[in-house]
Amino acid sequence: MSNPEKFTSDELQSDMAPIENIPLRLQVADRLRNAILSGRLRPGASLVETALAEQMNVSRAPIREAIQILENDGLVETIAYKGKRVKPLTVREITETYSLREAYETMAARRIIEKGVSVAPLRKFCDEMMIAAKTNNFEALILADEAFHRTMIKLADHDLLFSSWKNLYLRIHQIMSLRRRDDREMTEIAGNHPPIVDAIEAGDTALAIQLVSEHTHNLADFDPAEIAKT
């Protein structure tokens, strides 16, 4: 008689890993959030429960709950007698978003230098951004950019800063997706990040803050009204 198949501890743990049971409302919320952040659902677009339920092949209840989650995120709003819609962007909101981002990220750079934290994890995302720019993959560029800045904020080791930044970046992601773009801009965005890492790694606080500020200003160097009216 042959011996029964034996598994190593790691293999057994992998096979017996918990099965994820994500509530339907969260799955729906993730899909709608991604559609908003990617620009597929544009600012001002109506969110009709019956239509969305039919498209996603679910009942209206999880759609309603998901929309409420997105309203709490600040991505959806209620219009009296009309229903729910993707919240439009205003010129003031776009301008304030980038000014607040600058404050958060310069604070993060300063804290990383003061605490002597390694910035090696940021190099990976710099490489990913450059590859995305060279292959004209704007979606990949946005994802790598977000991962870079999320990691930088995490390295600052400030829980309230990270929590505030996460909410802010929902809007940043959406704004970046809605902006007109070209190959030159993508390469410029990717190329702005390695010098920031170099300055932080060298412990040059003044230069790091200057580069973070310039990067933020470059991204904000467009007509906010053009996005606000999309």
Side-chain angles (χ1 to χ4, degrees), residues 4 51 56 76 79 81 101 113 132 160 167 170 173 184 206 216:
M56 295 188 182
V76 170
I79 302 299
Y81 309 112
R101 176 185 184 177
I113 292 173
L160 185 56
N167 290 333
L170 291 174
H173 190 148
R184 179 192 58 77
T216 305

Side-chain angles (χ1 to χ4, degrees), residues 24 35 47 68 81 85 97-98 113 116 123 146 174-176 187 202 229:
L24 190 55
L47 298 175
Q68 182 59 55
Y81 309 112
R85 70 174 181 176
T97 294
Y98 276 102
I113 292 173
R123 300 287 183 187
E146 180 175 357
Q174 183 185 26
I175 292 167
M176 288 185 69
T187 302
K229 69 184 181 182

Side-chain angles (χ1 to χ4, degrees), residues 49-108:
E49 289 181 12
T50 52
L52 291 171
E54 183 176 345
Q55 291 173 21
M56 295 188 182
N57 194 30
V58 297
S59 67
R60 291 177 60 181
I63 296 291
R64 186 179 308 111
E65 293 170 349
I67 290 176
Q68 182 59 55
I69 291 172
L70 299 182
E71 194 161 12
N72 294 339
D73 286 345
L75 297 175
V76 170
E77 67 178 3
T78 301
I79 302 299
Y81 309 112
K82 292 186 178 180
K84 309 287 187 179
R85 70 174 181 176
V86 178
K87 186 178 179 182
L89 290 160
T90 66
V91 172
R92 177 170 180 167
E93 184 174 18
I94 294 170
T95 303
E96 289 183 353
T97 294
Y98 276 102
S99 65
L100 193 55
R101 176 185 184 177
E102 179 182 0
Y104 285 171
E105 297 189 359
T106 54
M107 175 182 172

Side-chain angles (χ1 to χ4, degrees), residues 31-226:
R31 289 194 183 186
L32 292 176
R33 185 184 295 107
N34 289 336
I36 292 172
L37 297 183
S38 67
R40 295 193 301 275
L41 272 175
R42 302 185 73 80
S46 297
L47 298 175
V48 182
E49 289 181 12
T50 52
L52 291 171
E54 183 176 345
Q55 291 173 21
M56 295 188 182
N57 194 30
V58 297
S59 67
R60 291 177 60 181
I63 296 291
R64 186 179 308 111
E65 293 170 349
I67 290 176
Q68 182 59 55
I69 291 172
L70 299 182
E71 194 161 12
N72 294 339
D73 286 345
L75 297 175
V76 170
E77 67 178 3
T78 301
I79 302 299
Y81 309 112
K82 292 186 178 180
K84 309 287 187 179
R85 70 174 181 176
V86 178
K87 186 178 179 182
L89 290 160
T90 66
V91 172
R92 177 170 180 167
E93 184 174 18
I94 294 170
T95 303
E96 289 183 353
T97 294
Y98 276 102
S99 65
L100 193 55
R101 176 185 184 177
E102 179 182 0
Y104 285 171
E105 297 189 359
T106 54
M107 175 182 172
R110 182 181 287 107
R111 282 180 61 85
I112 292 170
I113 292 173
E114 290 174 352
K115 295 169 71 67
V117 178
S118 171
V119 291
L122 297 175
R123 300 287 183 187
K124 169 189 174 184
F125 303 117
C126 289
D127 294 340
E128 290 180 1
M129 276 185 274
M130 193 57 68
I131 293 172
K134 290 180 179 178
T135 57
N136 196 32
N137 189 336
F138 191 68
E139 185 174 343
L141 177 69
I142 291 178
L143 291 175
D145 177 87
E146 180 175 357
F148 176 96
H149 291 282
R150 176 183 294 269
T151 302
M152 188 170 80
I153 297 293
K154 284 287 286 184
L155 292 175
D157 192 26
H158 190 296
D159 291 341
L160 185 56
L161 173 64
F162 183 62
S163 176
S164 301
W165 179 90
K166 283 195 299 182
N167 290 333
L168 182 73
Y169 209 88
L170 291 174
R171 276 305 197 190
I172 296 171
H173 190 148
Q174 183 185 26
I175 292 167
M176 288 185 69
S177 296
L178 292 169
R179 288 182 61 189
R180 292 182 180 178
R181 59 188 184 271
D182 54 36
D183 293 345
R184 179 192 58 77
E185 182 187 59
M186 290 175 63
T187 302
E188 182 179 338
I189 291 173
N192 284 339
H193 293 78
I196 294 174
V197 181
D198 292 340
I200 295 175
E201 192 169 57
D204 192 332
T205 303
L207 179 58
I209 290 175
Q210 175 189 332
L211 292 173
V212 170
S213 297
E214 289 176 352
H215 176 53
T216 305
H217 293 162
N218 287 339
L219 288 175
D221 186 18
F222 63 98
D223 181 9
E226 190 170 299

